[in-house]
Amino acid sequence: MQLGMIGLGRMGANMVRRLMRSGHECVVWDVNPDNIKKLADEGATGGESPEDFIAKLNTPRVVWIMVPAGEATEKTVTDLAARLETGDIIIDGGNSYFKDDVRRARMLREKKINYVDVGTSGGVWGLERGYCMMIGGPEETVRHLDPIFKTLAPGPGEIVRTPGREKIKGTVEDGYLHCGTSGAGHFVKMVHNGIEYGLMQAYAEGFDIFHNAKSEELPEDIRYDLNVADIAEVWRRGSVISSWLLDLTSMALLEDPELENYTGYVQDSGEGRWTIQAAIEEAVPAEVLTAALYMRFRSRQEHTFAEKILSAMRQKFGGHLEPRAKG
């Protein structure tokens, strides 16, 4: 199947590579010509301009957008809406706000252009591991795109099947799900990221307790000089709190036990805030997720080992770099 990809950053480029490995044809465009050339050298078809990019796509055209949420996505969708035709498809695979999806889908529907929102999880590891995808949009359009989703998804792998799942048909065991109408995909991904904040904060606080277990303020007979890298590693094996985030934490601690390469300045990409807004609108108490978000705000003022753990995890799963210190 042919796909056009706009945005060849960490995830967009690797998604193109994963698709091409399975025989899909990819036409690519990016504001950076070097990114286009790199993938063209690997077998993709590069667009020389946005117009040329569109011209090289077969109808009905399928264009996947992988650019930063907000103004960049809004401009890209608007520009595409002016160039695409009836029956073409725009996929937003970034982290857009779900209410923006509803508005964009309504606008594009008037032009008879289909819009699909895809919450995509997998980060810099997706090329090899695959991408978990949460999808929103018209059922017929999503079904048409199934070959793309199936290729990008991780597949069943070695995960033990949930008892009773053998009787249920669907794509969830392959790692992708049509969640509902427009906006539903990004709504589910938004809450996914809110939960991610809470999980990361729990790990970070636990390891901070270990890190300070040797404090001279404690009685000498209950001071412990613990090897936090070894603790992370042993928890990976049979523990009820094992996870991919713990795998990445173990990796970071082995490389840098004191996390001296991190300041502890922890950014948030917006989904955590939107999750809390949704909780308020639904009158759902979300104490842990709210506290985790506020801890990220606090991290920008003073830094503890807990914040360094958070920064290390973000760098490992998504390649997110800390901003340089001011001064």
Side-chain angles (χ1 to χ4, degrees), residues 94-111:
N95 280 325
S96 289
Y97 187 36
F98 73 99
K99 292 183 180 181
D100 289 336
D101 292 318
V102 174
R103 173 178 53 78
R104 289 170 188 152
R106 187 184 303 119
M107 178 269 289
L108 291 167
R109 200 176 301 124
E110 295 176 358
K111 298 174 176 287

Side-chain angles (χ1 to χ4, degrees), residues 128-144:
E128 302 302 331
R129 289 172 55 101
Y131 301 89
C132 174
M133 289 168 289
M134 296 137 271
I135 306 162
E139 186 173 348
E140 184 178 347
T141 305
V142 172
R143 194 182 308 117
H144 174 75

Side-chain angles (χ1 to χ4, degrees), residues 18 57 77 181 254 260 322:
R18 188 172 174 90
L57 293 171
V77 170
T181 56
L254 184 63
E260 293 177 349
E322 293 178 334

Side-chain angles (χ1 to χ4, degrees), residues 268-324:
D268 71 287
S269 52
E271 298 89 346
R273 303 185 191 204
W274 298 336
T275 300
I276 305 311
Q277 289 173 7
I280 292 169
E281 290 173 1
E282 298 172 15
V284 172
E287 296 97 330
V288 171
L289 307 189
T290 303
L293 176 64
Y294 286 0
M295 287 300 292
R296 293 194 175 203
F297 297 160
R298 193 194 67 73
S299 79
R300 298 160 201 177
Q301 298 173 336
E302 54 181 291
H303 306 308
T304 67
F305 195 74
E307 275 107 40
K308 291 184 178 183
I309 284 281
L310 290 173
S311 285
M313 281 191 278
R314 292 186 82 247
Q315 193 278 328
K316 287 298 180 186
F317 73 67
H320 303 294
L321 301 177
E322 293 178 334
R324 292 185 179 181

Side-chain angles (χ1 to χ4, degrees), residues 2-248:
Q2 188 193 59
L3 176 87
M5 178 68 76
I6 295 178
L8 307 176
R10 287 189 301 260
M11 287 182 68
N14 278 345
M15 293 173 88
V16 168
R17 293 184 178 103
R18 188 172 174 90
L19 288 167
M20 291 194 299
R21 283 182 181 180
S22 294
H24 294 281
E25 179 189 351
C26 292
V27 181
V28 297
W29 168 254
D30 191 274
V31 293
N32 185 341
D34 292 339
N35 291 343
I36 300 173
K37 184 179 185 307
K38 188 180 298 182
L39 282 170
D41 289 344
E42 296 178 33
T45 300
E48 296 180 6
S49 65
E51 293 79 11
D52 182 57
F53 167 80
I54 296 294
K56 288 177 175 174
L57 293 171
N58 303 325
T59 56
R61 303 172 185 86
V62 179
V63 181
W64 188 303
I65 301 169
M66 212 65 186
V67 301
E71 185 178 342
T73 296
E74 189 72 24
K75 183 179 185 306
T76 304
V77 170
T78 302
D79 290 348
L80 285 171
R83 293 187 170 100
L84 296 181
E85 300 172 349
T86 297
D88 290 345
I89 302 169
I90 296 175
I91 306 167
D92 177 7
N95 280 325
S96 289
Y97 187 36
F98 73 99
K99 292 183 180 181
D100 289 336
D101 292 318
V102 174
R103 173 178 53 78
R104 289 170 188 152
R106 187 184 303 119
M107 178 269 289
L108 291 167
R109 200 176 301 124
E110 295 176 358
K111 298 174 176 287
K112 297 184 179 180
I113 297 170
N114 297 296
Y115 180 85
V116 175
D117 53 283
V118 182
T120 311
S121 181
V124 296
W125 299 82
L127 176 59
E128 302 302 331
R129 289 172 55 101
Y131 301 89
C132 174
M133 289 168 289
M134 296 137 271
I135 306 162
E139 186 173 348
E140 184 178 347
T141 305
V142 172
R143 194 182 308 117
H144 174 75
L145 297 170
D146 190 74
I148 297 294
F149 298 139
K150 193 171 186 64
T151 298
L152 290 173
E158 299 178 357
I159 297 174
V160 177
R161 172 172 266 174
T162 301
R165 271 283 167 192
E166 64 276 1
K167 302 174 185 177
I168 304 173
K169 295 182 179 179
T171 62
V172 290
E173 291 182 299
D174 286 317
Y176 63 106
L177 172 67
H178 181 206
C179 300
T181 56
S182 296
H186 279 148
F187 181 82
V188 174
K189 178 57 161 56
M190 174 189 76
V191 178
H192 164 286
N193 284 23
I195 292 171
E196 178 186 294
Y197 283 25
L199 291 172
M200 291 172 70
Q201 187 63 36
Y203 281 127
E205 291 176 9
F207 281 103
D208 203 15
I209 293 170
F210 290 150
H211 189 255
N212 288 284
K214 58 187 175 184
S215 170
E216 293 183 0
E217 296 181 9
L218 295 169
E220 189 172 353
D221 59 350
I222 59 167
R223 290 180 205 162
Y224 303 111
D225 188 5
L226 300 169
N227 186 319
V228 291
D230 281 356
I231 293 171
E233 187 63 29
V234 77
W235 280 355
R236 294 181 61 220
R237 303 168 192 280
S239 166
V240 296
I241 61 169
S242 59
S243 71
W244 187 42
L245 288 173
L246 183 62
D247 295 345
L248 300 175

